Amino acid sequence: MVKGIRVHKHGGPEVMKWEDVEVGEPKEGQVRVKNKAIGINFIDVYFRKGVYKTSSIPYIPGVEACGVVTAVGPGVTGRQVGDVVAFAGGAMGSYVEELILPANKLVPVPPSIDSTVAASLLLKGMTAQFLLHRCFKVQHGHTILVHAAAGGVGSLLCQWANALGATVIGTVSTQEKASQAKEDGCHHVIIYKVEDFVARVTEITSGNGVEVVYDSVGKDTFEGSLRCLKFRGYMVSFGQSSGAPDPVPLSALSVKSLFLTRPTLFHYTATRDELLENAGEVFANVDKGTLRVRVNHTYPLSEAALAHSDLENRKTSGSVVLIP
């Protein structure tokens, strides 16, 4: 028996309960992993609120963690007790001290990567990788707009896009976060509570607009994001921290022949080869220094509700990690 967080009904952070959890032994194709660090992501909030549906209730939240293999089930090859591994997506239930996972959803963590960094990085890093390289291929000379530029994914998007040679415009909520976004490679930072981001983007681009907008905010920024795009620009909506955007008539896209996508990481890491390639590229860019990971906030696993509250109230920046 181990300890973990369980959600018995949808709602606010208070529905997260610290309880005993039965683990058991790994079966065919499974391994048991003792978590060293657990990543918190906004998707965890969506599941807790019921925006996204879980297969059952009660459930254990969390889709990302890094830990050590403590047992290997029958039929598993390439994994052994003592291996340091991480997972991001493909399985639910990381808010727990120890858990059973499908072996084919785990990626090896290089010795050069700290477990806390791995747990905070993998989901966000793989998201940044597919957004910048596969959903829309950012290249030298492009101008891009990143909302929530000081957030976990936003920070990595800015750093990586800058390294690719793009001009990066980022929006943030505070001066403190503006300073961080600058450090992360934003050439232009807009504090959206003070400035009209559409007007500023228009000014920065001399009225041309940007090639692509990466929008994880949703309702509050969606319409303005469309107006920031140049002809044949790409609107990449990959989150909705302010709520779901209002429905968009096709005519709103035809004005500038825009492309609109609502991508999901798990569709871009559907095969084992895709997963390993994406994760490998993320870890390699950390080793090269292209990506710097800010684990600005750590909480005991038992205080996951407080961590969720702080995340939703935008009291955090960078990555947030739970420590069992």
Side-chain angles (χ1 to χ4, degrees):
M1 195 76 73
V2 299
K3 285 287 191 179
I5 298 292
R6 190 176 275 119
V7 174
H8 291 268
K9 63 180 181 179
H10 295 135
E14 70 280 356
V15 302
M16 304 168 72
K17 304 300 181 184
W18 180 241
E19 297 181 353
D20 290 331
V21 176
E22 190 75 44
V23 181
E25 294 299 319
K27 298 177 181 176
E28 182 81 21
Q30 296 179 329
V31 299
R32 190 172 69 223
V33 176
K34 183 175 183 179
N35 283 334
K36 299 175 72 177
I38 300 160
I40 288 185
N41 298 278
F42 224 96
I43 194 173
D44 303 344
V45 174
Y46 297 152
F47 279 119
R48 193 200 72 228
K49 288 182 170 181
V51 176
Y52 294 167
K53 302 304 178 187
T54 55
S55 58
S56 63
I57 290 182
Y59 74 96
I60 296 171
V63 295
E64 179 179 38
C66 176
V68 178
V69 175
T70 56
V72 176
V76 173
T77 58
R79 292 273 71 83
Q80 60 185 11
V81 172
D83 284 353
V84 179
V85 295
F87 81 97
M92 176 82 74
S94 66
Y95 285 25
V96 69
E97 292 172 330
E98 199 166 358
L99 74 166
I100 304 293
L101 290 165
N104 65 355
K105 297 300 181 184
L106 300 173
V107 299
V109 177
S112 57
I113 305 293
D114 180 79
S115 59
T116 303
V117 170
S120 71
L121 168 74
L122 191 58
L123 187 74
K124 301 173 187 70
M126 291 200 301
T127 298
Q129 193 276 346
F130 93 83
L131 290 176
L132 292 170
H133 294 274
R134 298 181 63 196
C135 193
F136 175 87
K137 191 170 180 62
V138 172
Q139 298 177 343
H140 181 84
H142 283 164
T143 301
I144 76 170
L145 174 62
V146 178
H147 288 299
V153 176
S155 170
L156 298 175
L157 284 172
C158 294
Q159 294 176 52
W160 212 333
N162 182 295
L164 291 170
T167 297
V168 183
I169 305 171
T171 70
V172 297
S173 58
T174 67
Q175 185 59 57
E176 180 184 5
K177 291 183 178 182
S179 298
Q180 178 186 310
K182 276 283 190 184
E183 290 178 16
D184 287 339
C186 271
H187 299 89
H188 307 276
V189 183
I190 302 166
I191 303 176
Y192 67 83
K193 291 185 175 181
V194 178
E195 302 175 280
D196 179 340
F197 76 84
V198 178
R200 282 288 290 126
V201 169
T202 301
E203 178 186 351
I204 292 165
T205 63
S206 300
N208 293 318
V210 298
E211 270 84 6
V212 59
V213 177
Y214 292 111
D215 190 340
S216 62
V217 176
K219 187 177 181 65
D220 290 350
T221 54
F222 189 88
E223 186 181 339
S225 293
L226 291 178
R227 287 189 279 144
C228 288
L229 288 165
K230 62 167 46 177
F231 290 115
R232 303 193 305 274
Y234 278 71
M235 174 65 184
V236 182
S237 173
F238 68 99
Q240 51 188 51
S241 60
S242 68
D246 294 329
V248 182
L250 286 176
S251 57
L253 305 181
S254 67
V255 174
K256 290 190 282 188
S257 295
L258 301 177
F259 296 86
L260 168 62
T261 182
R262 181 60 169 88
T264 299
L265 168 65
F266 313 130
H267 296 155
Y268 285 82
T269 54
T271 69
R272 179 71 178 161
D273 286 345
E274 287 176 328
L275 175 64
L276 291 176
E277 180 182 356
N278 188 323
E281 191 170 337
V282 170
F283 288 140
N285 275 275
V286 173
D287 277 339
K288 286 193 304 184
T290 300
L291 300 179
R292 301 177 309 280
V293 183
R294 283 188 175 85
V295 183
N296 290 344
H297 311 272
T298 60
Y299 299 77
L301 175 58
S302 59
E303 295 181 10
L306 174 61
H308 270 227
S309 177
D310 288 349
L311 180 66
E312 285 185 87
N313 289 305
R314 301 190 181 184
K315 294 181 179 178
T316 66
S317 64
S319 295
V320 183
V321 171
L322 299 172
I323 305 297

